[in-house]
Amino acid sequence: MPSFQFIEHPFPFCEPGEASNPLYAVAPSDLENPDILPENVGNFVRSAKFSAREGELLLLPGADGALAGALLGLGSRAENPFVTGRLSKLLPAGDWHLARYPGDRTQALIGFAAGSYRFERYLKPSAAAPVRLAIPEDCDADAIKRNVAAIRLARDLINTPANDMQPDHLEQAFGALACHYGADFSAVRGGDLLTSGFPLIHAVGRAGEKAPRLMEMRWGRKGAKSITLVGKGVCFDTGGLDIKSAAGMGLMKKDMGGAANVMALALMIMDAGLDVDLRVIVPSVENAIAGNAFRPGDIYHSRKGLTVQIDNTDAEGRLILADALAYADEEQPDLLIDMATLTGAARVALGPEVMPFYTDSDALSDALHQAGERLSDPVWRMPLYPGYDAKLKTGLADLTNAPAGGMAGSITAALFLKRFVDRAGTWAHFDIYGHAPADRDFGPAGGEAQAIRAIFETIRTV
């Protein structure tokens, strides 16, 4: 079944049999090798003073003066697998093929397509002709397009502003994804959250213009390995009554990045037809300010029965995840993974590109790290240090949602979530950023898919 896309983007690929110009990826040491570059090309390269530094492009003329191909520099170390992401900006429009690429061509093609991404929903459609690359016949075209579709889905959802990405809009996109792959989809909304046992989701989202909700998708074979994904879907976060500053609120349309990424990961799993029993759960709210907003000092019962004191209304993500994780845990999945744009502390620790995760499983940690290294989708295990568990204590309730002091904020948030998981075979929590602050080879600044390629590879191979 073709890969689902939230906003229609034509894949930037052409068929391998179509007429196209050759593209040669070369390192500086390749320039003097006659087995790589014919003598006439080598002469032109020297005349043009092409040095093959990373991302350098040289167009090659034919005997008649017409365009005959191009050289792409890989640099002396050739360590950037996504240098091909620059090609949509460097190459003349038209169709091209990788006549030579010494690295992983699958990753090069994914990088090219990821670098070609543009979010133009609110712009006039570009009339410019695209740059397209052919997928070689010995590469898995379906796998490449699957990765590209997942990256685009996460980016499109996160980049969409909150006026067009409220909980009802997110439900429409989630429902469309489920329908595309023949999955079952359901949602509990508004006051029904209370009667269905999701008091924290209701408390956080009840002040929003659109009703809070818990959405659920099921797909796959009963009896297969059970995989449950949970994603934080805060469609906009004002901070609540503990209101954020204007600067702090500027990027908060991305606070549903966890939901966007688990939906994109689910796309990959379903599109690949993995033999799993998949369940995806997304609690979705807007953390808004109104007369019925939840308050600092309030105490709420959770689905699990633990009481939680609200010491900061801007620590709302862990609250909606608590109910969702308790619900997910009730079915004792073999693997339970949650993803959330949860703490600024995670960014202070590892920055915007390396994604921290928490788990008690050494085997899962090793597999994730190896997959991330292989796919250039970096992840890093953080400690569930039990010595910080005491920070969650409070005198009036079982837990506080915002430990005092602010230190080890990502760890204490993970420890909070861990209190709501005790039946799953293995659990991992990803504290992602969901955003690229600047343009890179892999794509432009804005919403980003993070850790899902490493997680998918781990699920597929372990």
Side-chain angles (χ1 to χ4, degrees), residues 300-321:
Y300 294 95
H301 286 269
S302 66
R303 180 179 183 87
K304 194 174 181 66
L306 295 171
T307 54
V308 182
Q309 178 171 306
I310 309 304
D311 286 319
N312 192 320
T313 63
D314 197 20
E316 85 297 332
R318 68 199 67 185
L319 298 174
I320 66 171
L321 286 173

Side-chain angles (χ1 to χ4, degrees), residues 43-309:
N43 292 335
F44 179 76
V45 165
R46 285 186 287 274
S47 299
K49 301 188 183 307
F50 177 76
S51 62
R53 68 178 182 274
E54 183 180 290
E56 184 181 7
L57 189 81
L58 178 66
L59 298 179
L60 301 175
D64 59 356
L67 180 64
L71 297 182
L72 174 67
L74 297 177
S76 58
R77 294 183 296 172
E79 291 180 350
N80 180 0
F82 299 132
V83 65
T84 48
R86 307 181 192 185
L87 292 174
S88 64
K89 296 178 181 178
L90 295 175
L91 286 174
D95 292 347
W96 296 79
H97 66 273
L98 289 173
R100 180 182 188 273
Y101 190 83
D104 186 330
R105 288 180 298 168
T106 292
Q107 294 306 307
L109 288 160
I110 292 171
F112 162 71
S116 301
Y117 171 88
R118 301 291 182 271
F119 184 72
E120 297 180 334
R121 179 174 177 176
Y122 301 93
L123 299 172
K124 292 182 180 179
S126 174
V131 174
R132 302 195 303 174
L133 271 182
I135 299 176
E137 292 181 351
D138 59 348
C139 287
D140 187 340
D142 289 340
I144 291 169
K145 291 180 179 179
R146 178 181 308 130
N147 276 267
V148 174
I151 292 165
R152 287 172 164 182
L153 175 60
R155 289 175 174 177
D156 285 345
L157 289 169
I158 296 169
N159 283 331
T160 302
N163 57 307
D164 286 329
M165 188 49 64
Q166 284 291 298
D168 55 341
H169 301 109
L170 187 60
E171 180 179 336
Q172 291 168 12
F174 196 8
L177 176 67
C179 180
H180 184 82
Y181 289 103
D184 295 326
F185 180 81
S186 61
V188 180
R189 308 174 191 87
D192 290 342
L193 289 166
L194 294 175
T195 56
S196 298
F198 301 104
L200 291 177
I201 298 173
H202 182 269
V204 173
R206 68 192 183 199
E209 180 184 0
K210 303 296 182 182
R213 63 204 67 203
L214 181 127
M215 300 172 283
E216 181 174 3
M217 182 182 76
R218 292 177 181 265
W219 175 91
R221 181 176 67 87
K222 295 297 180 184
K225 181 179 181 179
S226 53
I227 309 289
T228 298
L229 310 176
V230 177
K232 173 188 169 185
V234 177
C235 290
F236 194 81
D237 182 17
T238 66
L241 293 176
D242 290 308
I243 191 169
K244 293 178 181 289
S245 66
M249 216 181 294
L251 280 178
M252 284 302 101
K253 69 176 184 180
K254 79 171 184 66
D255 214 18
M256 38 64 69
N261 273 274
V262 299
M263 288 169 60
L265 176 56
L267 180 155
M268 298 175 76
I269 292 170
M270 295 187 294
D271 199 78
L274 298 190
D275 185 23
V276 297
D277 182 3
L278 178 66
R279 186 183 183 204
V280 186
I281 298 170
V282 172
S284 185
V285 301
E286 180 180 13
N287 188 18
I289 298 173
N292 63 339
F294 73 124
R295 298 164 291 255
D298 285 353
I299 296 176
Y300 294 95
H301 286 269
S302 66
R303 180 179 183 87
K304 194 174 181 66
L306 295 171
T307 54
V308 182
Q309 178 171 306

Side-chain angles (χ1 to χ4, degrees), residues 141 303 401 412:
R303 180 179 183 87
N401 79 321
T412 56

